[in-house]
PDB file of all heavy atoms in Angstrom:
ATOM      1  N   THR A  25      20.749  -0.762  -9.569  1.00 98.00           N
ATOM      2  CA  THR A  25      19.345  -1.054  -9.256  1.00 98.00           C
ATOM      3  C   THR A  25      18.677  -1.957 -10.283  1.00 98.00           C
ATOM      4  O   THR A  25      17.662  -2.569  -9.990  1.00 98.00           O
ATOM      5  CB  THR A  25      18.508   0.239  -9.193  1.00 98.00           C
ATOM      6  OG1 THR A  25      18.602   0.910 -10.457  1.00 98.00           O
ATOM      7  CG2 THR A  25      18.960   1.145  -8.066  1.00 98.00           C
ATOM      8  N   GLY A  26      19.236  -2.001 -11.489  1.00 98.00           N
ATOM      9  CA  GLY A  26      18.582  -2.750 -12.558  1.00 98.00           C
ATOM     10  C   GLY A  26      17.459  -1.947 -13.216  1.00 98.00           C
ATOM     11  O   GLY A  26      16.724  -2.472 -14.039  1.00 98.00           O
ATOM     12  N   LEU A  27      17.340  -0.672 -12.834  1.00 98.00           N
ATOM     13  CA  LEU A  27      16.327   0.193 -13.440  1.00 98.00           C
ATOM     14  C   LEU A  27      16.886   0.806 -14.723  1.00 98.00           C
ATOM     15  O   LEU A  27      18.091   0.929 -14.887  1.00 98.00           O
ATOM     16  CB  LEU A  27      15.930   1.306 -12.465  1.00 98.00           C
ATOM     17  CG  LEU A  27      15.276   0.855 -11.162  1.00 98.00           C
ATOM     18  CD1 LEU A  27      15.179   2.020 -10.188  1.00 98.00           C
ATOM     19  CD2 LEU A  27      13.902   0.255 -11.417  1.00 98.00           C
ATOM     20  N   ARG A  28      15.986   1.198 -15.603  1.00 97.00           N
ATOM     21  CA  ARG A  28      16.417   1.820 -16.856  1.00 97.00           C
ATOM     22  C   ARG A  28      17.040   3.179 -16.583  1.00 97.00           C
ATOM     23  O   ARG A  28      16.568   3.925 -15.719  1.00 97.00           O
ATOM     24  CB  ARG A  28      15.222   1.977 -17.799  1.00 97.00           C
ATOM     25  CG  ARG A  28      14.666   0.659 -18.280  1.00 97.00           C
ATOM     26  CD  ARG A  28      13.382   0.795 -19.084  1.00 97.00           C
ATOM     27  NE  ARG A  28      13.467   1.815 -20.107  1.00 97.00           N
ATOM     28  CZ  ARG A  28      12.556   2.774 -20.258  1.00 97.00           C
ATOM     29  NH1 ARG A  28      11.502   2.863 -19.483  1.00 97.00           N
ATOM     30  NH2 ARG A  28      12.695   3.662 -21.222  1.00 97.00           N
ATOM     31  N   PRO A  29      18.095   3.543 -17.315  1.00 97.00           N
ATOM     32  CA  PRO A  29      18.700   4.871 -17.150  1.00 97.00           C
ATOM     33  C   PRO A  29      17.685   6.001 -17.296  1.00 97.00           C
ATOM     34  O   PRO A  29      17.770   7.008 -16.595  1.00 97.00           O
ATOM     35  CB  PRO A  29      19.768   4.919 -18.244  1.00 97.00           C
ATOM     36  CG  PRO A  29      20.132   3.492 -18.455  1.00 97.00           C
ATOM     37  CD  PRO A  29      18.854   2.712 -18.258  1.00 97.00           C
ATOM     38  N   ASN A  30      16.708   5.839 -18.199  1.00 96.00           N
ATOM     39  CA  ASN A  30      15.669   6.865 -18.370  1.00 96.00           C
ATOM     40  C   ASN A  30      14.859   7.056 -17.096  1.00 96.00           C
ATOM     41  O   ASN A  30      14.445   8.173 -16.781  1.00 96.00           O
ATOM     42  CB  ASN A  30      14.713   6.490 -19.510  1.00 96.00           C
ATOM     43  CG  ASN A  30      15.326   6.704 -20.865  1.00 96.00           C
ATOM     44  OD1 ASN A  30      16.431   7.222 -20.988  1.00 96.00           O
ATOM     45  ND2 ASN A  30      14.609   6.302 -21.895  1.00 96.00           N
ATOM     46  N   THR A  31      14.623   5.960 -16.377  1.00 96.00           N
ATOM     47  CA  THR A  31      13.863   6.032 -15.128  1.00 96.00           C
ATOM     48  C   THR A  31      14.638   6.830 -14.092  1.00 96.00           C
ATOM     49  O   THR A  31      14.078   7.711 -13.424  1.00 96.00           O
ATOM     50  CB  THR A  31      13.575   4.612 -14.591  1.00 96.00           C
ATOM     51  OG1 THR A  31      12.829   3.886 -15.577  1.00 96.00           O
ATOM     52  CG2 THR A  31      12.800   4.652 -13.290  1.00 96.00           C
ATOM     53  N   ILE A  32      15.931   6.565 -13.969  1.00 97.00           N
ATOM     54  CA  ILE A  32      16.770   7.287 -13.008  1.00 97.00           C
ATOM     55  C   ILE A  32      16.841   8.761 -13.400  1.00 97.00           C
ATOM     56  O   ILE A  32      16.722   9.649 -12.554  1.00 97.00           O
ATOM     57  CB  ILE A  32      18.189   6.675 -12.943  1.00 97.00           C
ATOM     58  CG1 ILE A  32      18.123   5.194 -12.521  1.00 97.00           C
ATOM     59  CG2 ILE A  32      19.077   7.480 -12.006  1.00 97.00           C
ATOM     60  CD1 ILE A  32      17.540   4.932 -11.159  1.00 97.00           C
ATOM     61  N   SER A  33      16.999   9.030 -14.671  1.00 97.00           N
ATOM     62  CA  SER A  33      17.051  10.399 -15.168  1.00 97.00           C
ATOM     63  C   SER A  33      15.757  11.144 -14.827  1.00 97.00           C
ATOM     64  O   SER A  33      15.784  12.297 -14.391  1.00 97.00           O
ATOM     65  CB  SER A  33      17.292  10.403 -16.672  1.00 97.00           C
ATOM     66  OG  SER A  33      17.294  11.708 -17.168  1.00 97.00           O
ATOM     67  N   HIS A  34      14.637  10.481 -15.012  1.00 95.00           N
ATOM     68  CA  HIS A  34      13.334  11.075 -14.701  1.00 95.00           C
ATOM     69  C   HIS A  34      13.244  11.414 -13.207  1.00 95.00           C
ATOM     70  O   HIS A  34      12.774  12.491 -12.834  1.00 95.00           O
ATOM     71  CB  HIS A  34      12.215  10.116 -15.097  1.00 95.00           C
ATOM     72  CG  HIS A  34      10.842  10.611 -14.771  1.00 95.00           C
ATOM     73  ND1 HIS A  34      10.252  11.666 -15.424  1.00 95.00           N
ATOM     74  CD2 HIS A  34       9.939  10.200 -13.850  1.00 95.00           C
ATOM     75  CE1 HIS A  34       9.047  11.874 -14.927  1.00 95.00           C
ATOM     76  NE2 HIS A  34       8.839  11.002 -13.963  1.00 95.00           N
ATOM     77  N   LEU A  35      13.716  10.511 -12.350  1.00 95.00           N
ATOM     78  CA  LEU A  35      13.678  10.735 -10.902  1.00 95.00           C
ATOM     79  C   LEU A  35      14.582  11.895 -10.491  1.00 95.00           C
ATOM     80  O   LEU A  35      14.337  12.542  -9.476  1.00 95.00           O
ATOM     81  CB  LEU A  35      14.088   9.473 -10.144  1.00 95.00           C
ATOM     82  CG  LEU A  35      13.120   8.300 -10.184  1.00 95.00           C
ATOM     83  CD1 LEU A  35      13.722   7.095  -9.485  1.00 95.00           C
ATOM     84  CD2 LEU A  35      11.789   8.678  -9.555  1.00 95.00           C
ATOM     85  N   CYS A  36      15.619  12.144 -11.269  1.00 96.00           N
ATOM     86  CA  CYS A  36      16.556  13.231 -10.957  1.00 96.00           C
ATOM     87  C   CYS A  36      16.094  14.571 -11.520  1.00 96.00           C
ATOM     88  O   CYS A  36      16.656  15.605 -11.178  1.00 96.00           O
ATOM     89  CB  CYS A  36      17.950  12.909 -11.502  1.00 96.00           C
ATOM     90  SG  CYS A  36      18.790  11.619 -10.562  1.00 96.00           S
TER      91      CYS A  36
END
Side-chain angles (χ1 to χ4, degrees):
T25 59
L27 297 169
R28 293 173 48 231
N30 285 355
T31 301
I32 301 298
S33 178
H34 178 70
L35 290 175
C36 287

